[in-house]
Structures are given as C-alpha cells and as structure tokens.
Amino acid sequence: ITGILSTLGNGYVIFMSSKRKKKLRPAEIMTVNLAVCDLGISVVGKPFSIISFFSHRWMFGWIGCRWYGWAGFFFGCGSLITMTAVSLDRYLKICHLSYGTWLKRHHAFICLAIIWAYATFWATVPFAGVGNYAPEPFGTSCTLDWWLAQASVAGQAFVLSILFFCLLFPTAVIVFSYVKIILKVKSSTKEVAHYDSRIQNSHILEMKLTKVAMLICAGFLIAWIPYAVVSVWSAFGRPDSVPIQFSVIPTLLAKSAAMYNPIIYQVIDCKFACCRSGGLKAKSSSKKSR
C-alpha cells in the first residue's frame, strides 16, 4: 500500500510540475527534487522488499542486497539534504530579505547538483571498504551495516561519520532555520505592515511555502528518527539487544515517509488555489472601483 500510494502520489507531483517547469520558483524546484527522491525509494526499493516479505527471506542475493541498501540510503540522504536546502532557502527568504531576493532559479539548479553529489558520495563510501551494506535483522531487506561498530574502531568511525553528516548535522541546520524563522515571524508583522501591498502579498506567499516546508521536514524526521535510534542502539549497544520483531516497525515507519509528502502538497495546493482566486477577485474589484 505504501509503495503504490507513494509511486502514484510522487509521480503525479512530478507530472503536474513538468507542465509548468519554466514557472517553478526555487523552493518549488526543491520540492520537485524531494518528490523525485521519494519516487526513487518507491520504484527502486519497494519491489525488492515486497517480494522478499512474501517469501519470508531476502530473494536477490548479496549483490541485490548491496544495490537495495545503496539505493535506499542514496535517495533517503538526498531527501534529507534537499529538505536542509529548503530550510536554508526559507531562512534566507524570511530572515534575510536582501539575500533571499538574490536567490534565483539557476542557484536552485546549482544546489541540486550539490545535493546529488553529496548523496552519491556518502552512499558510495561503503563500497570503498570503509563500511558495507548488510541484511536487516529480520532478513527481508538490507541497510547500512550498523553492526560494524561492534567489530572495530574503523567501523565505529564509519557509523559515527554517517550519523553526523547524514542525520545530525542536516537536522541541526533544519531546526536552527525554523527556530529562527519562528522568532522572526513574531517580530515581523509590524515591519511588513509598512510596505506596499505587493511586498505584503509576497511575504504571505513565502510564509505559506515555509509552512509546507516545516510540515514536510517534521514528517520526515518523525518517520526516520525512530529508525536512527534503533540503528544506533544496534551499533553501540549489546549485540542482539533489539528484538527482531521490534526492529521491523521503525523500518516500515521510515519507508512510509515517501508516501505522505504528496498529500501535504495537495492539501496546501488547494489552499493556494483558494487564495489565488480570492486575490484575483480583489484585483478585479479594485479595477472597477478605479
């Protein structure tokens, strides 16, 4: 169910965005990239795990396990770094207007190149002999070999590097950005009131985009943090200290993150449509009064 809804939802977001690709704002380009990452998780990873679930064991051998682990980590890391970039974009647009107005479409595409390079690097590092991919404890999917931390100091360094650069640091940037935005919003109402209506409308739109980004980031972190906690516990706690039945739940919760982002897009898009229609009516009435 998660795989089907995620594929249809993110595919629809990408299809609708392609119709107006020349009009997409930088923040919307990042949102499309997030949909691409979520679609990649669904299309590349879900068929392998579904077949293995019904077969009660991993069906695709060692090479298939490493491919599945790489794809899941690659697209998952891409999603988190994309949301980090979105949070920084929102932070600049809301808290530093002079820098925010400087950001254009070509800056968004440069940012996309950095995101994909970052995700490729960290997903490919395990193939260089520093780490590895291995089956999950329940045996029907694969992930990073967190258990290397039990074996050597090099394994501990690998796991800690992944945790810092692919979870803790991006999460800290996201939290910092939205905390600063919330503090700024509390004090900005009076400032914006002094500007003309065009700047006020632009500020309102930026705030709505910020709310969308906050919802998406919150959902992603809620879905992935339990999985990260269980993984860290498996890496540095006692061997087999996490029951196999319990380890399944955080994995399924994390993979469900790709499913609900399109729902957030559509709910907010309906609100945008209502706001746009209201804005058009207001413009037409003002022309008549003139």
Side-chain angles (χ1 to χ4, degrees):
I1 292 171
T2 302
I4 291 170
L5 291 179
S6 174
T7 302
L8 294 176
N10 289 292
Y12 176 75
V13 170
I14 295 169
F15 172 73
M16 294 303 293
S17 299
S18 66
K19 289 186 171 182
R20 49 186 296 269
K21 55 187 176 183
K22 293 183 179 180
K23 298 180 180 179
L24 292 175
R25 300 158 63 89
E28 292 173 320
I29 292 172
M30 292 296 172
T31 302
V32 174
N33 190 63
L34 184 59
V36 171
C37 292
D38 291 342
L39 185 64
I41 292 174
S42 304
V43 173
V44 176
K46 289 293 193 294
F48 288 87
S49 57
I50 290 170
I51 293 170
S52 296
F53 286 153
F54 280 109
S55 303
H56 304 284
R57 63 187 180 89
W58 181 254
M59 296 291 294
F60 302 98
W62 178 239
I63 295 176
C65 180
R66 299 183 85 188
W67 159 250
Y68 177 89
W70 180 89
F73 185 53
F74 172 72
F75 288 115
C77 182
S79 295
L80 183 56
I81 303 305
T82 299
M83 285 185 284
T84 305
V86 170
S87 69
L88 286 173
D89 173 77
R90 298 294 86 211
Y91 169 70
L92 291 173
K93 287 285 176 70
I94 301 299
C95 300
H96 299 281
L97 293 176
S98 58
Y99 291 102
T101 54
W102 174 76
L103 293 173
K104 305 299 180 184
R105 280 171 58 94
H106 64 276
H107 296 114
F109 290 115
I110 293 172
C111 191
L112 291 185
I114 295 172
I115 290 168
W116 288 109
Y118 192 94
T120 301
F121 173 78
W122 285 108
T124 310
V125 160
F127 292 136
V130 180
N132 212 338
Y133 294 100
E136 302 265 16
F138 46 88
T140 53
S141 66
C142 296
T143 185
L144 285 167
D145 192 349
W146 300 104
W147 302 272
L148 285 173
Q150 302 276 358
S152 65
V153 176
Q156 292 178 0
F158 164 72
V159 171
L160 289 173
S161 298
I162 291 292
L163 285 172
F164 179 78
F165 289 104
C166 300
L167 179 65
L168 297 179
F169 177 67
T171 302
V173 173
I174 290 170
V175 172
F176 167 81
S177 298
Y178 289 124
V179 167
K180 295 293 285 185
I181 287 170
I182 291 170
L183 294 175
K184 181 67 176 178
V185 167
K186 287 184 177 180
S187 61
S188 66
T189 306
K190 293 181 180 179
E191 294 178 14
V192 175
H194 294 294
Y195 297 118
D196 60 29
S197 59
R198 258 197 338 184
I199 295 178
Q200 289 178 9
N201 292 335
S202 176
H203 181 76
I204 291 170
L205 179 59
E206 295 297 345
M207 288 307 305
K208 287 177 180 175
L209 290 172
T210 302
K211 290 176 183 178
V212 176
M214 290 178 71
L215 281 173
I216 292 171
C217 290
F220 185 91
L221 294 176
I222 290 170
W224 278 94
I225 283 177
Y227 179 78
V229 170
V230 170
S231 298
V232 172
W233 187 264
S234 300
F236 297 100
R238 291 184 298 104
D240 303 323
S241 57
V242 180
I244 291 178
Q245 294 86 345
F246 181 76
S247 66
V248 178
I249 299 171
T251 303
L252 295 178
L253 180 63
K255 299 297 174 63
S256 71
M259 177 182 65
Y260 50 72
N261 283 341
I263 299 173
I264 296 174
Y265 305 151
Q266 293 308 310
V267 169
I268 302 299
D269 189 54
C270 289
K271 291 183 179 180
F272 278 175
C274 293
C275 292
R276 282 194 294 265
S277 62
L280 289 173
K281 289 177 182 176
K283 286 181 181 179
S284 61
S285 62
S286 63
K287 285 182 180 178
K288 287 179 181 177
S289 63
R290 287 177 187 174

